[in-house]
Amino acid sequence: MVQIRPAAAQELKRLLRRHTTPGTDAEPQVYLTLEPGGCADWTYRLSAAALSTQTKTALTCGDLSLAVPIDQLDLVKDLTIDYAEDLMGGGFRFVNPVAQRTCGCGNAFALNAEAPVAQDCTAVHLPTPLSDPESDEEMLQTLGS
């Protein structure tokens, strides 16, 4: 179902370590949700905490547990999550065969090939990842590129 490439898994684990409370028995989990809107029909959102009360199912992706709302499973069928860094910074990349169009920021998609998407949204509504912990929390909650 959902695949997490090694670079993305490494970055997610790093971010989860920063946001895990010492002494808790709960296994850290990544939450993947799709929010309507943004640059296209749907925007990907990763978080270290459940952001909604939707019923979720846990998917095992290597040694990571990924919680996805049950009603969104069809939208992330065969999704691949990757992470890449360049001179401008790093960010998660999503490859979704269900998407008919993808926004220029790479964090939003449309199911209809005719749907308008921003080709150069410059992701002004998304934070740019930096190296401090507060920015890491923002990056884990709302992905930037």
Side-chain angles (χ1 to χ4, degrees):
M1 175 138 227
V2 175
Q3 295 181 357
I4 299 177
R5 309 279 287 171
Q10 181 179 350
E11 182 64 9
L12 287 168
K13 288 176 192 175
R14 184 186 74 80
L15 293 169
L16 283 173
R17 278 192 304 272
R18 293 187 98 129
H19 302 289
T20 301
T21 305
T24 60
D25 293 334
E27 188 69 28
Q29 189 169 45
V30 177
Y31 294 86
L32 169 66
T33 56
L34 299 174
E35 295 181 351
C39 313
D41 292 345
W42 297 97
T43 300
Y44 299 102
R45 186 170 172 106
L46 290 173
S47 173
L51 300 174
S52 73
T53 58
Q54 295 172 298
T55 304
K56 296 168 187 59
T57 187
L59 306 174
T60 302
C61 301
D63 56 354
L64 282 172
S65 178
L66 182 71
V68 179
I70 290 175
D71 63 343
Q72 295 179 349
L73 282 173
D74 287 344
L75 297 174
V76 296
K77 180 181 177 186
D78 299 323
L79 174 71
T80 299
I81 303 172
D82 203 355
Y83 183 82
E85 291 189 49
D86 58 26
L87 293 175
M88 298 299 290
F92 291 93
R93 310 288 190 251
F94 300 91
V95 178
N96 190 342
V98 174
Q100 295 296 308
R101 297 195 61 179
T102 303
C103 176
C105 71
N107 294 321
F109 70 97
L111 297 173
N112 180 339
E114 304 301 317
V117 296
Q119 293 302 312
D120 188 21
C121 69
T122 62
V124 293
H125 61 286
L126 299 172
T128 302
L130 301 173
S131 60
D132 64 76
E134 289 180 15
S135 295
D136 285 347
E137 175 66 21
E138 277 187 28
M139 184 172 74
L140 190 57
Q141 288 185 359
T142 304
L143 302 176
S145 52

